[in-house]
Amino acid sequence: MLSFVAEVISTLADSLGIMDRVKKFIGHYEPASPIHQVADRIFQVFETHGVNRANIVGFVNPKHGITFADLISHDAFIPKITNELLDEISEKFSINPEWLTGDIDEIYPSHHCYKNLRVIIDHLGGIAEQGIRWPEVQVIIIKPSKPSLEELQSHRSLSPFAVVIREAIGDLGETTIYRDHLYDELNWGHQPARLHLQGISMAAWELASKPWGAELPENEIVNLLDRRVFIAPILEDVSLHSWHPDDYIFLDGESMRSENSAIAQEARKWMRQTGDLAYLQEWKNRLNSSVRQICD
């Protein structure tokens, strides 16, 4: 019965959205008020992450009192919008609360990790402490598809790449719903940044999951790093097997995945000098201790 009601609500909501577009097309459309824009952005966040409007009821805290009837239209939903609801949505999907209210254009908070690998280590370690591992957490490194690394180096130019940490927050049927954390300020053409990338890959392998490799045209990575587009639809359309970041973190004899032991050795030397290798080991020891305590 509930699934039937949800289907009806979804159909009605879609119909109202079509009517809004028709009114706009024929010139009988009033500009949305700021609070209507907030409602629209809330619906956009859920739908972009795979939660259709009818499923919002089961995806937020019941204390907000949201019912199927509240989801029929923006006007019906507006009375349910509170600061507490905005805070929950912001935290649940790692979205800027100021974007929800229309005060800024950047959808996601800014996370920087260049020359501070411990930010990534702490992030992944904190997730692992909650017992969350692959496939509930994914580390995806997106590099430019062109130009090649050799071309970048020959022209001494830079090209940005992005790191996304995906964290499962629920399921709808067979669909996993994720929140995405975006890290920037990394350049594929900059050799120290690539060492940093290997450190990220090693942290991912040791604390969360194997690192996944995707490719996008450079202009699309720039758009992603501007934080004005949603991450989820982009990741749905790319292969996570375009390249393999973990090919460059193992020494000979450690893994069949070892592709270039010299590059891996260079990365480990850098991590020893910065103290990040020891810091990563501390996190591993802490997590192993937690596992032993649970088993005991």
Side-chain angles (χ1 to χ4, degrees):
M1 180 63 180
L2 284 177
S3 61
F4 172 73
V5 173
E7 185 176 346
V8 171
I9 294 296
S10 183
T11 302
L12 287 172
D14 289 344
S15 299
L16 286 168
I18 293 171
M19 288 305 298
D20 283 343
R21 290 193 289 272
V22 170
K23 290 178 182 178
K24 186 174 183 179
F25 179 77
I26 64 177
H28 296 289
Y29 188 84
E30 296 180 2
S33 67
I35 190 63
H36 279 83
Q37 292 176 357
V38 173
D40 190 64
R41 289 191 174 196
I42 289 173
F43 289 144
Q44 188 179 358
V45 167
F46 279 103
E47 290 166 359
T48 301
H49 287 83
V51 182
N52 66 40
R53 194 178 298 189
N55 288 124
I56 293 175
V57 171
F59 220 77
V60 297
N61 195 311
K63 71 179 182 181
H64 301 296
I66 297 174
T67 67
F68 289 120
D70 297 319
L71 301 170
I72 288 289
S73 68
H74 288 56
D75 287 329
F77 181 66
I78 284 171
K80 297 297 183 180
I81 299 176
T82 63
N83 288 331
E84 290 77 12
L85 177 62
L86 294 175
D87 289 342
E88 179 179 331
I89 294 170
S90 172
E91 181 178 356
K92 189 181 293 288
F93 293 104
S94 189
I95 298 291
N96 275 326
E98 297 86 358
W99 179 82
L100 288 172
T101 55
D103 295 313
I104 62 175
D105 295 326
E106 292 79 17
I107 299 173
Y108 299 98
S110 179
H111 297 295
H112 307 303
C113 63
Y114 181 51
K115 295 185 178 179
N116 190 6
L117 181 59
R118 298 183 190 192
V119 170
I120 291 276
I121 294 175
D122 286 341
H123 190 164
L124 293 175
I127 293 174
E129 270 190 322
Q130 302 172 51
I132 303 173
R133 299 292 181 97
W134 184 89
E136 282 75 29
V137 59
Q138 300 173 359
V139 180
I140 303 166
I141 300 172
I142 308 172
K143 75 176 183 67
S145 50
K146 293 181 179 180
S148 68
L149 181 58
E150 291 73 19
E151 291 171 323
L152 283 172
Q153 292 173 325
S154 65
H155 293 87
R156 295 186 178 182
S157 58
L158 303 177
S159 189
F161 64 89
V163 177
V164 177
I165 296 178
R166 307 203 85 188
E167 185 181 353
I169 58 174
D171 295 288
L172 287 175
E174 297 182 356
T175 302
T176 301
I177 309 302
Y178 293 95
R179 65 167 153 249
D180 297 312
H181 308 272
L182 178 65
Y183 284 85
D184 57 9
E185 285 198 355
L186 297 163
N187 283 284
W188 183 245
H190 189 46
Q191 194 265 351
R194 293 197 304 279
L195 286 176
H196 200 76
L197 181 151
Q198 289 171 264
I200 293 171
S201 300
M202 188 178 298
W205 187 273
E206 297 288 0
L207 301 177
S209 76
K210 64 165 287 180
W212 302 89
E215 290 185 340
L216 282 174
E218 183 175 336
N219 66 307
E220 293 187 27
I221 296 178
V222 170
N223 289 339
L224 179 64
L225 294 176
D226 280 342
R227 296 178 285 128
R228 301 187 185 196
V229 296
F230 282 102
I231 298 172
I234 294 174
L235 294 182
E236 288 173 3
D237 292 335
V238 300
S239 169
L240 300 185
H241 305 278
S242 300
W243 65 294
H244 304 282
D246 51 340
D247 284 351
Y248 304 97
I249 62 174
F250 295 109
L251 304 179
D252 289 340
E254 287 184 341
S255 171
M256 294 180 64
R257 300 204 64 85
S258 177
E259 183 74 19
N260 192 317
S261 184
I263 292 178
Q265 186 64 56
E266 186 178 6
R268 301 216 188 160
K269 178 181 178 181
W270 168 73
M271 290 181 69
R272 288 191 190 95
Q273 292 172 344
T274 61
D276 290 331
L277 196 61
Y279 191 74
L280 177 59
Q281 185 61 51
E282 289 175 11
W283 260 109
K284 287 179 60 182
N285 294 341
R286 185 191 311 181
L287 294 171
N288 289 336
S289 175
S290 297
V291 170
R292 285 197 297 271
Q293 290 176 12
I294 293 172
C295 292
D296 293 342

